[in-house]
Amino acid sequence: MVFDCKSALECVMRKDFDPETVKADGRSAAKGFLFDPTAPGPWRGSLAGETIGSPVTVLAYGNDTPGEGPPLHVHPYDETFVVFAGRARFFVGDQVIDATAGEAVLGPAGVPHRFVNLGPGRLQTIDIHHSDRWIQTDLA
């Protein structure tokens, strides 16, 4: 069962579609290596969707240094950033968006973007590339 919880006390059972209208496509469940949680330094890793038969690629990113982050870059597909620890400032085209743990930010296809750790402390993100492989052009 999937629940739509608007608060810790209010959960509603969801039924967004009729399961009889969707047929399995024959793929098996799969797993792949994203990152080594015991490795020192920035927590980084990637798992190409094509490795596990998925239409999305997942990156794990983290750093402990305020002001640090990936360089300005662009993708030919959307990227969704999920902040799950710390605070980040995203630069997406002409927009500046601050996000904290529990928030997600969209970087639309073809729009240059980057982000930095606002501190204090560690920034951890999961970055979802809407492509079965990571395709990127660095601009800075």
Side-chain angles (χ1 to χ4, degrees):
M1 270 185 210
V2 175
F3 293 92
D4 181 14
C5 300
K6 294 176 178 60
S7 72
L9 299 175
E10 181 187 345
C11 288
V12 178
M13 187 173 145
R14 292 181 59 164
K15 186 169 181 173
D16 296 329
F17 71 99
D18 179 355
E20 294 298 319
T21 65
V22 177
K23 301 299 176 208
D25 63 10
R27 290 180 298 152
S28 297
K31 87 173 177 178
F33 183 78
L34 178 58
F35 66 92
D36 179 356
T38 65
W43 176 43
R44 295 182 179 170
S46 66
L47 175 61
E50 62 190 357
T51 302
I52 59 172
S54 171
V56 299
T57 293
V58 180
L59 276 64
Y61 176 83
N63 78 60
D64 296 302
T65 308
E68 183 178 301
L72 184 68
H73 61 277
V74 66
H75 309 284
Y77 49 76
D78 290 348
E79 182 175 10
T80 302
F81 305 93
V82 180
V83 178
F84 68 92
R87 300 175 358 163
R89 176 162 290 151
F90 291 85
F91 302 88
V92 183
D94 293 336
Q95 293 183 278
V96 177
I97 302 169
D98 289 350
T100 61
E103 295 182 313
V105 174
L106 172 67
V111 177
H113 56 271
R114 68 184 181 91
F115 62 91
V116 296
N117 180 348
L118 283 179
R122 188 160 187 82
L123 169 65
Q124 294 282 177
T125 67
I126 293 293
D127 308 338
I128 303 163
H129 291 238
H130 298 240
S131 170
D132 67 349
R133 59 192 176 97
W134 184 3
I135 304 167
Q136 176 172 311
T137 295
D138 291 341
L139 303 172

